[in-house]
Amino acid sequence: MELRINRRALVGLGVAAALTASSFAVFRTETGAASSHREAPAILADPLNDNTDVYAFVSPDKADTVTLLANWIPFQEPHGGPNFYPFATKSRYNIKIDNNGDAKPDITYQWTFRDEDRRGTTTFLYNNGPVTSLDDQNLLYRQRYTLKRITPGGSKTLISNGIVAPSNVGPASMPDYGTLRKQAITDLPGGGKTLAGQSDEAFFLDLRVFDLLYGGDLSEVGQDTTRGYNVNTLAVQVPASDLALKGDPKRNPVIGVWSTTDKQGPKGFVQVSRLGNPLVNEVVAPAGLKDAFNALPPAKDADVPALVKRVTDPEVARLLESIYGIKAPATPRDDLVEIFLTGIAKGNGPIMADLNSQTLNKDAGKLRPAEMLRLNMSIPPTKDPNRLGVLAGDLQGFPNGRRLSDDVVDIELQALAGAAQSGKLVPGLTDKVDKNDKPFLASFPYIPLPSNVAVNQR
């Protein structure tokens, strides 16, 4: 499909995207929150089911495929033994795709896990010697998984006995962890790959933003708070035709993506966590609606006026005005409705660009406004990605999907400072954390290996 986006539209688009999700830290006072880490009261007590981030991008080394990554279990200190960080065995972990715009999942990749625990009453150790392969007898605890692809037409098991890459215990126990994770990458029938296992926490930012937005004078910047922590990753790389409406990514290039966790209870499975765009539940939803948002399917978003109002009149813009004197944009914020709920297209709102709304799919029906991360799969990988994404004219970056290298915090800060009106970046307005501490990988799964070095070092 042809993209007609002028420079002025680009600036407005990038800034609007930032503004939305951004509102990010000002009204949260809990410690240890990033992206959607520990964003709602109930999920604080249930880290194994806590979604932290979702990424969706055209694979940079295989442009006819799309990579979907979702992370769980935030703030994993690498030395958190003896049990380390397993996936929950009574939960379903999902990555969902809406390709026709009705806000309902057309495709779901669903993982379930089971334990293989040989420790019994004889030892507390995760392993009793160096582990050099996934089937090494020295690995006393491992997890296996089943991966299904679910559509309205039925369910297909893609992997029935996959092995999870274990937690990275340390150099004595796992002298070559990279080999272990490489062994855990499994081919999918019909093309594609999948991985379940531990990874580096790739979301980079200075979390001192919660201290009156970096002290109220930007004196508290430059520290990557999540450096050294790990997360658990579920990833798939599949042909774009597997995700597109009617299997045709040329006619129907836009998909919406979100992840959920369903926890088994006495009356069956219940959704307890949900994540699409970064920071939405943390900073858009008020405290009293956060648990409800985690349980809500996207198809119901537009039916909750209190949530919609938080998009059209975001709290953070007003807080920035009170702290830094940056005048809040006029409301209602129809641009933010377009970013969060409808996707970006000329027919959806004030942003004069056709980018990532399912309305651009030629075979789509009526659009149902809903919060999700939207990706136009027809935009090829950027040769030299810009960390500021669409704000810098890089159309493959956030909010058109989300790459690992997208600097969501800086995009948001600049947007909130009024770059949409001026078209200029505000000098010095940055958390001074511009990239992850570890380089991203050149091939699937792209996210770096997990750390085995303690975060608290002397």
Side-chain angles (χ1 to χ4, degrees):
M1 63 179 295
E2 183 179 0
L3 291 173
R4 296 188 178 91
I5 304 178
N6 61 36
R7 186 177 183 278
R8 183 176 180 182
L10 282 177
V11 173
L13 167 57
V15 172
L19 272 163
T20 56
S22 129
S23 317
F24 146 59
V26 201
F27 63 78
R28 279 264 316 219
T29 56
E30 302 170 30
T31 58
S35 189
S36 285
H37 301 39
R38 304 176 69 242
E39 78 286 348
I43 207 66
L44 289 172
D46 197 3
L48 269 63
N49 289 303
D50 188 2
N51 284 169
T52 66
D53 286 284
V54 173
Y55 301 89
F57 51 90
V58 175
S59 307
D61 57 332
K62 294 185 176 181
D64 60 341
T65 72
V66 170
T67 296
L68 307 175
L69 301 172
N71 293 336
W72 278 265
I73 315 179
F75 294 101
Q76 299 179 14
E77 214 293 332
H79 292 172
N83 296 306
F84 296 97
Y85 305 101
F87 289 96
T89 58
K90 294 184 178 180
S91 296
R92 303 184 306 205
Y93 296 83
N94 308 294
I95 297 179
K96 299 183 176 182
I97 296 96
D98 167 29
N99 55 30
N100 62 10
D102 66 357
K104 298 177 181 179
D106 298 296
I107 302 163
T108 298
Y109 291 96
Q110 183 179 94
W111 289 259
T112 54
F113 296 87
R114 56 193 180 276
D115 290 340
E116 197 174 89
D117 193 345
R118 297 189 293 115
R119 293 172 296 183
T121 59
T122 62
T123 183
F124 59 84
L125 291 172
Y126 194 82
N127 56 288
N128 59 6
V131 178
T132 59
S133 67
L134 292 182
D135 59 1
D136 196 315
Q137 289 300 301
N138 291 336
L139 184 59
L140 301 178
Y141 174 86
R142 64 172 57 83
Q143 287 193 304
R144 295 185 180 270
Y145 67 89
T146 297
L147 171 60
K148 295 181 179 181
R149 185 180 189 269
I150 303 169
T151 68
S155 174
K156 179 181 179 181
T157 297
L158 301 179
I159 304 291
S160 61
N161 201 32
I163 302 179
V164 178
S167 294
N168 191 350
V169 175
S173 294
M174 298 173 180
D176 185 2
Y177 186 85
T179 293
L180 296 179
R181 193 168 80 164
K182 188 176 295 185
Q183 292 174 357
I185 296 174
T186 304
D187 290 336
L188 296 175
K193 302 175 181 179
T194 187
L195 170 73
Q198 194 180 45
S199 299
D200 173 64
E201 169 53 275
F203 186 75
F204 50 93
L205 79 169
D206 192 327
L207 274 173
R208 290 177 292 181
V209 68
F210 291 106
D211 184 20
L212 289 179
L213 265 74
Y214 304 114
D217 58 6
L218 295 177
S219 60
E220 301 174 1
V221 292
Q223 173 182 289
D224 185 357
T225 314
T226 61
R227 178 174 181 162
Y229 289 102
N230 298 324
V231 291
N232 278 17
T233 295
L234 298 176
V236 291
Q237 182 179 83
V238 294
S241 58
D242 282 7
L243 304 177
L245 177 61
K246 295 188 175 181
D248 190 342
K250 291 185 178 180
R251 284 181 58 85
N252 305 301
V254 179
I255 58 172
V257 181
W258 70 101
S259 62
T260 63
T261 318
D262 307 324
K263 185 176 182 179
Q264 190 172 26
K267 296 184 179 181
F269 286 95
V270 177
Q271 180 180 307
V272 297
S273 186
R274 166 189 169 189
L275 183 63
N277 284 285
L279 314 174
V280 169
N281 200 1
E282 280 198 337
V283 303
V284 176
L289 291 178
K290 289 181 179 297
D291 289 337
F293 180 85
N294 263 345
L296 197 68
K300 298 291 185 182
D301 289 347
D303 296 331
V304 185
L307 280 175
V308 174
K309 186 176 180 181
R310 300 291 293 193
V311 176
T312 59
D313 185 11
E315 180 181 4
V316 172
R318 299 194 303 273
L319 292 173
L320 278 180
E321 182 171 348
S322 67
I323 293 173
Y324 283 106
I326 300 171
K327 185 174 177 56
T331 59
R333 297 297 305 276
D334 292 337
D335 55 340
L336 302 190
V337 171
E338 196 170 353
I339 295 291
F340 277 113
L341 300 179
T342 66
I344 298 153
K346 294 175 183 177
N348 290 351
I351 301 173
M352 290 293 99
D354 286 332
L355 185 67
N356 68 344
S357 173
Q358 288 102 322
T359 59
L360 302 175
N361 292 340
K362 296 186 184 301
D363 297 314
K366 184 178 180 181
L367 182 73
R368 173 71 173 171
E371 193 281 312
M372 60 185 71
L373 186 65
R374 290 175 168 90
L375 172 68
N376 188 325
M377 301 183 292
S378 72
I379 298 177
T382 307
K383 182 179 179 181
D384 297 307
N386 192 300
R387 65 183 180 87
L388 297 181
V390 175
L391 181 61
D394 182 353
L395 296 185
Q396 210 209 22
F398 180 77
N400 181 33
R402 183 185 176 190
R403 302 168 300 192
L404 290 162
S405 61
D406 288 337
D407 192 345
V408 177
V409 171
D410 274 14
I411 294 171
E412 295 169 347
L413 288 174
Q414 289 292 336
L416 287 166
Q421 287 83 9
S422 68
K424 299 178 181 179
L425 299 179
V426 178
L429 187 55
T430 170
D431 69 350
K432 290 189 177 179
V433 182
D434 295 345
K435 61 182 180 179
N436 193 45
D437 61 299
K438 291 185 174 184
F440 300 120
L441 306 181
S443 59
F444 182 84
Y446 309 102
I447 192 167
L449 296 173
S451 173
N452 60 18
V453 178
V455 174
N456 182 21
Q457 300 182 61
R458 294 181 182 271

